[in-house]
Amino acid sequence: MVNSNEDYDRNDDLKRFDESKAGVKGLVDAGHTTIPRIFIHPPETLSDLKPVSDTPPETIPVIDLSGFDSDRRASLVDQVNRAAREYGFFQVVNHGIPQANLDRTIAAVKAFHEQPAEARAGFYKREGGTGFSYMSNVDLYQSKAASWRDTMTVRLGPTDPRLWDHVPEICRDAVAEWDREVVRLGGLLLDLVGEGLGLGAGRFRELTCLEGRTMVGHYYPYCPQPDLTVGLGSHADPGVLTVLLQDHMGGLQVKSGGVWVDVKPVPGAIVINVGDLLQIMSNDVYKSVDHRVLANSCQEPRVSIAVFLNPSKREELYGPLPELILPEKPALYQHFPFSEFMRRFFTKELDNKSLKNYFRI
C-alpha cells in the first residue's frame, strides 16, 4: 500500500534521485526490493498492463526485404504501405545488417549502462542539444510518475565530425557503425513509404528526413514491482520513422484494434514505426500509433535502441505534402516549423503524448 503521508514531498524525492546521477540502475545496485514512490503509476495507467486478449486477432506484420532492388520491389511497396496504413508498426527481416552488428550494438549500449555509477555520472545531464548524454526519464519533472528505465542519447545528425569525440569509448565504434547501417536501411524505408504514397523517388530524402537522426539506448533493469510501474509510458513518436532494435527479452506493446498487442522479438528483425510527423505529411494516410514498454520482471536487463529519423531543417514548415492534398481530401493539418513541433513534445510528460491533434485543422 502506498503511504499517503501528507508531508510527502515528491519534488524533493525527484531531485534527490536526479542528483544521484545513478539512474534506475543505481537503485537496483543498491539492493532496493521495492520501488520508490516516484515510480508508482496511478491506477488508471496500471489497470490495463496485461493484454486484453491472450490471442489477439492479428500480429504486427513481418516484412522480408530481400530483393528490394528486383522485381519484388512493387510487392514490398505494397506490404510496407499496408502495414503503415493499418498498423503503424512492422518488423523487417533480411534487411542486410549482419546479426553480429545487431549483437554488437546491443552489447555496447548494455556495456555503457553497466559501467560503475561514477563512470556514467560524468555524462549525466538533463539539457538537450547536441552530442552525447545519459539520464533517467526525459520527462522526470513533468510526468505523473517516473518509469523504470535509463537512457543514453546520441544526436547523430546533422553530421558533425566532432560528435565522436564526445561519445564514450566503451560504445563509440559500435554506435558509429550502427548509424551507418541505419542510414542505409532508413533511406530504403523512406523510399518505400514514399512510393507507397505515390510520391516521386527520394521525396522524403529531399525533405532531409534522413538527416536529423537521434539515437536512444534504453536500459530496463530488473524491476522488483513491475505491476506498479512501466518501462516506458504510452505515447506516439513525434518524428517521421523510428528504426528500433530490441533484444530477445520483449516488453514492447502496440495499441491495435483497441487492445495492447505484444511485439514479440523475431530473431534478426528490426522494428519500424510511423511517427506523428509522417502521419501529418501523409495527410492521415499513414498511422502513428500508441505504444509502450512494460517494466522488466526478469533478472536479466532488457536493452532496446531506437533511431528517430527526422528532418534536419528544423525551421522550415512541415505539414501535409502538396501532392497528397486533393479536392476530395483537403489538408487535415496546419503547417508548422519542426522546431516548434519538437519543443511542444518535450515540454509535457511523455505518457499518452501525441502531437497530431494539436496541429489538426
Side-chain angles (χ1 to χ4, degrees):
M1 176 69 78
V2 176
N3 183 1
S4 58
N5 186 344
E6 294 180 0
D7 294 331
Y8 171 64
D9 188 337
R10 183 169 184 271
N11 285 334
D12 188 53
D13 274 8
L14 288 171
K15 187 176 181 182
R16 189 180 305 112
F17 170 72
D18 197 25
E19 291 180 349
S20 76
K21 301 183 178 181
V24 173
K25 178 69 163 58
L27 299 176
V28 174
D29 289 345
H32 282 248
T33 56
T34 59
I35 65 175
R37 185 167 174 176
I38 61 172
F39 291 93
I40 298 176
H41 281 247
E44 58 269 24
T45 302
L46 302 171
S47 61
D48 68 344
L49 281 187
K50 294 184 174 63
V52 174
S53 170
D54 292 331
T55 55
E58 293 187 87
T59 57
I60 303 306
V62 178
I63 300 174
D64 183 345
L65 290 181
S66 60
F68 67 85
D69 55 354
S70 69
D71 55 5
R72 284 200 69 230
R73 190 177 184 93
S75 172
L76 289 177
V77 169
D78 287 344
Q79 291 178 61
V80 169
N81 180 43
R82 178 175 178 269
R85 287 171 181 260
E86 297 181 9
Y87 297 92
F89 264 79
F90 54 97
Q91 301 198 62
V92 295
V93 294
N94 292 323
H95 40 64
I97 305 177
Q99 182 65 47
N101 291 38
L102 308 183
D103 295 342
R104 183 182 182 215
T105 305
I106 290 171
V109 170
K110 186 177 180 182
F112 170 82
H113 285 285
E114 294 186 346
Q115 295 178 101
E118 55 270 22
R120 301 194 307 273
F123 298 98
Y124 195 98
K125 60 180 179 180
R126 196 151 290 283
E127 312 83 42
T130 59
F132 181 96
S133 62
Y134 150 72
M135 73 172 78
S136 188
N137 286 256
V138 67
D139 60 341
L140 183 68
Y141 291 100
Q142 291 84 33
S143 63
K144 296 183 185 70
S147 298
W148 201 257
R149 78 179 183 284
D150 300 328
T151 303
M152 54 172 265
T153 301
V154 191
R155 308 290 180 181
L156 295 166
T159 303
D160 180 355
R162 296 169 298 176
L163 162 69
W164 303 110
D165 295 336
H166 303 287
V167 177
E169 186 175 356
I170 196 169
C171 59
R172 183 184 303 152
D173 290 347
V175 170
E177 176 60 28
W178 185 244
D179 183 41
R180 288 190 287 271
E181 298 284 13
V182 168
V183 167
R184 184 192 59 77
L185 177 60
L188 169 61
L189 292 165
L190 287 172
D191 287 348
L192 293 175
V193 297
E195 290 171 41
L197 293 169
L199 302 174
R203 183 72 167 99
F204 285 112
R205 296 180 194 243
E206 293 169 5
L207 293 166
T208 72
C209 295
L210 190 58
E211 296 176 15
R213 301 180 307 285
T214 298
M215 179 188 128
V216 294
H218 294 309
Y219 183 86
Y220 303 91
Y222 165 70
C223 180
Q225 294 177 295
D227 56 333
L228 295 182
T229 190
V230 297
L232 185 58
S234 173
H235 68 287
D237 291 345
V240 180
L241 281 181
T242 302
V243 178
L244 174 72
L245 173 60
Q246 61 171 345
D247 65 15
H248 64 285
M249 299 285 289
L252 173 64
Q253 295 185 330
V254 173
K255 201 69 168 289
S256 179
V259 300
W260 288 106
V261 176
D262 291 312
V263 182
K264 295 182 179 179
V266 173
I270 295 173
V271 180
I272 309 298
N273 67 276
V274 173
D276 282 351
L277 187 57
L278 181 53
Q279 176 168 338
I280 290 170
M281 294 168 79
S282 74
N283 207 28
D284 268 2
V285 174
Y286 290 155
K287 299 296 185 287
S288 171
V289 300
D290 290 341
H291 51 286
R292 68 184 183 186
V293 178
L294 302 180
N296 181 15
S297 60
C298 300
Q299 293 291 334
E300 180 183 355
R302 178 180 189 270
V303 171
S304 66
I305 299 118
V307 178
F308 305 108
L309 305 184
N310 297 318
S312 62
K313 295 183 178 178
R314 298 176 66 91
E315 300 309 317
E316 291 199 2
L317 297 180
Y318 296 87
L321 295 175
E323 301 97 312
L324 303 178
I325 299 172
L326 304 169
E328 62 271 22
K329 188 174 183 183
L332 300 174
Y333 298 92
Q334 309 167 41
H335 281 73
F336 46 82
F338 185 63
S339 58
E340 179 191 350
F341 190 72
M342 295 306 292
R343 181 183 61 79
R344 290 189 178 279
F345 185 82
F346 284 111
T347 52
K348 293 184 179 181
E349 67 171 319
L350 188 61
D351 196 34
N352 293 316
K353 181 181 292 185
S354 174
L355 295 176
K356 298 185 294 285
N357 290 337
Y358 182 85
F359 292 100
R360 191 177 288 274
I361 293 174

